[in-house]
Amino acid sequence: MIGAGLSNMAAAVYLIQEGHWRGDNITFYGADMHGANDGGTTEEFSDEYWNKEHPLDNQTGYVARGGRMLNYRTYVDLMDLLDRIPSATEEGMTAAEDTRDFDSHHQTYDKARLLQGGKGIIDGGKLGLNNKDRTLLSKLVLMPDDEETKLDNVTIAEYFKDDPHMFQTNFWYMWETTFAFRIESSVQELRRYMHQMIYEFTQIEHLVGVNRTRYNQFESMILPLINYLKGEEVKFISNRIVTDWEFADSSMQDEITVTGIHVKNVEDDTEELVDIDDETAVIFTNGSITDSATMGDYNTPARENMEYGISAALWKKATERFYNLGTPDKFFADRKNSEWVSFTLTTKNHLLLNEITRITTQVPGNALNSFLSTTPITPLGQKDINMSIVVHHQPHFTSQKPNESVIWGYFLYPRRTGEFVHKQYIKMTGKEMAQELIGQLSKVDPGPNNIKEKEPAILDSIINNIPVYMPYASALFNNRAKTDRPEVIPAHSTNLAFTGEFAEQPYQMIFTEQSAARSGEIAAFHFAGVPMDHLVDTPRYDKDPKTLLKATKRMFS
């Protein structure tokens, strides 16, 4: 296993349970043992992430570089996986039962999905689509699967080039920030989301289809997997980066057989060649959205790491040898369309949490709130999203103290300039991001009790606010052709499989734990000789007439 993220851990579980492989025959190599599904105290993140240009002596508080929203209706493979392993925090429950139990008592109902200065809570139930918007959306949804290649290398902006109004609708603001699309993203990927999430048309303003884990994604999803796999004697070798391949020479030039991998020890820079024999499969997660990520702190911005992603670099070396393994540069050489900045804010009391609750009129754990700009800030001249925040149900970490709150947020366009802190988001310290958040909240909080009056007390309550720069956070949405991602099992491969969100799977939408888990399942079934018709059945809501009818009616709201 090259890479220790969700997809390869899923592959290991299925190899053990469905393929009846012994756990001690499975070895993970990875720079870390969680992939993109991370979360923990600042002390749990290695030195490589921090801004070395400034000594960080205030490494306290929590960090989750990203956040996960689940959906039981669509994430069927993920829930099957989590049902196979015990919860790490709830005795007597599987990880899936744990999540379903928590979600049943804390159901999502967002009453303040969109917020705008001078207007307060925007009525997201009014999607704002006109007939041209509806026509183009309908064409996208109704396009047959075998015609999807017509959308090769077409951006969302290009698809709607004669319809700029689309990007001024409440529908777009909500869809954009729920799933993290940009107008420069692949319309082919947008089509897949429209197909698998078509039922969200009827509920996107309240996010009632969103399900959440009890704690952060590491403790609720990855830690149960690690515990289970270690119990099965699976080997985890961390602080290792696979830097190159050895492939067999073959009379068939397109036959792919791995015979060795070059493994670098991050701690001492030594390297070894690990031989791969004829009985060994290599399962490779060929890209990570958190590669090259960096962190700052309350007084320090995250530095910009210009290194090409380590997993993509290994993928690129394979493509230099074989023609059918995709195009890594489509995803990892276009930072301007893939970068994010997120932040994780930890407070020592609930003052900020209570203020957000008052302003949005909803309890923590129910929302993804996005703040609309009041002034035109995009090339198309329309208002757009400044920032989005998620106020988790507390506690979000098992070690969190009762008096502490944790809030997560992100800037989808990190090169834009703040309205209250006049610098690019990417250059802001954690304190400045907190000030920008307070400013955005103040715009939708008119009256004598404005949150701005409490700013000194709120800033004083902050234990830390960790900015995180992720150059590849949206890389999986970058504009591409269908062949730019390799198949999970490439043609003519004898022992190499690709997993994760940069592997091509029919009909699957990426940037989800669903596609990650399914890619691991496919790889495991292939190498274990389990028939593919045993895969978890993927629902096709785009083929359901009732769902399509409801979505069509909703487009006229």
Side-chain angles (χ1 to χ4, degrees), residues 18-237:
E18 298 295 325
H20 308 295
W21 286 26
R22 286 174 41 179
D24 61 2
N25 282 333
I26 300 172
T27 302
F28 281 84
Y29 293 95
D32 55 48
M33 290 298 125
H34 51 67
N37 286 275
D38 56 35
T41 63
T42 55
E43 290 87 349
E44 293 174 81
F45 287 80
S46 61
D47 292 341
E48 67 182 280
Y49 295 115
W50 300 99
N51 191 336
K52 297 182 178 68
E53 298 169 5
H54 184 284
L56 302 174
D57 55 7
N58 187 27
Q59 290 191 21
T60 55
Y62 293 92
V63 183
R65 290 179 291 185
R68 300 295 181 271
M69 297 186 296
L70 310 183
N71 188 299
Y72 299 151
R73 292 179 65 176
T74 305
Y75 291 24
V76 290
D77 293 79
L78 174 70
M79 298 312 292
D80 177 79
L81 172 67
L82 296 182
D83 233 350
R84 294 169 176 266
I85 57 173
S87 166
T89 62
E90 308 306 305
E91 190 174 352
M93 291 186 182
T94 67
E97 289 169 343
D98 171 15
T99 295
R100 287 194 175 96
D101 176 72
F102 172 80
D103 194 70
S104 69
H105 293 95
H106 304 88
Q107 294 183 1
T108 300
Y109 190 84
D110 195 339
K111 295 190 288 186
R113 181 65 185 81
L114 295 176
L115 298 160
Q116 185 174 4
K119 293 185 179 180
I121 299 173
I122 301 297
D123 183 3
K126 299 186 186 321
L127 299 184
L129 299 170
N130 64 23
N131 285 337
K132 198 165 192 177
D133 304 330
R134 297 181 190 110
T135 299
L136 288 171
L137 282 172
S138 297
K139 283 178 63 178
L140 202 60
V141 172
L142 297 175
M143 178 180 285
D145 294 327
D146 59 5
E147 294 183 13
E148 188 181 46
T149 53
K150 292 180 178 179
L151 302 177
D152 278 359
N153 300 309
V154 178
T155 68
I156 294 171
E158 288 166 343
Y159 180 81
F160 290 101
K161 65 181 184 298
D162 297 324
D163 182 27
H165 176 266
M166 165 59 70
F167 305 115
Q168 302 176 40
T169 63
N170 287 341
F171 168 79
W172 173 252
Y173 298 136
M174 291 186 289
W175 199 274
E176 171 189 41
T177 52
T178 299
F179 302 114
F181 280 102
R182 303 182 187 208
I183 62 172
E184 302 88 358
S185 300
S186 165
V187 77
Q188 199 173 80
E189 211 61 62
L190 178 64
R191 173 190 172 273
R192 292 192 179 190
Y193 268 73
M194 292 291 178
H195 273 229
Q196 287 203 270
M197 306 294 286
I198 186 68
Y199 53 83
E200 284 297 335
F201 270 85
T202 63
Q203 56 195 29
I204 193 168
E205 75 274 19
H206 298 307
L207 295 177
V208 295
V210 168
N211 310 109
R212 300 187 189 275
T213 55
R214 188 179 303 271
Y215 297 107
N216 60 86
Q217 60 261 23
F218 176 76
E219 292 186 281
S220 288
M221 292 196 299
I222 299 300
L223 187 56
L225 285 163
I226 292 172
N227 291 345
Y228 169 80
L229 293 173
K230 284 185 174 179
E232 294 292 326
E233 300 184 356
V234 170
K235 304 181 190 75
F236 287 90
I237 305 177

Side-chain angles (χ1 to χ4, degrees), residues 4 81 83 94 96 100 123 146 189 268 287 319 321 336 339 358 407 428 442 454 475 480 492 496 513:
L81 172 67
D83 233 350
T94 67
R100 287 194 175 96
D123 183 3
D146 59 5
E189 211 61 62
D268 60 15
T319 65
R321 173 74 180 266
K336 70 180 186 299
E339 62 184 2
R358 176 180 65 81
I407 296 167
M428 288 186 186
S442 73
K454 303 179 181 71
R480 59 167 180 84
H492 313 299
L496 176 63
E513 278 68 17

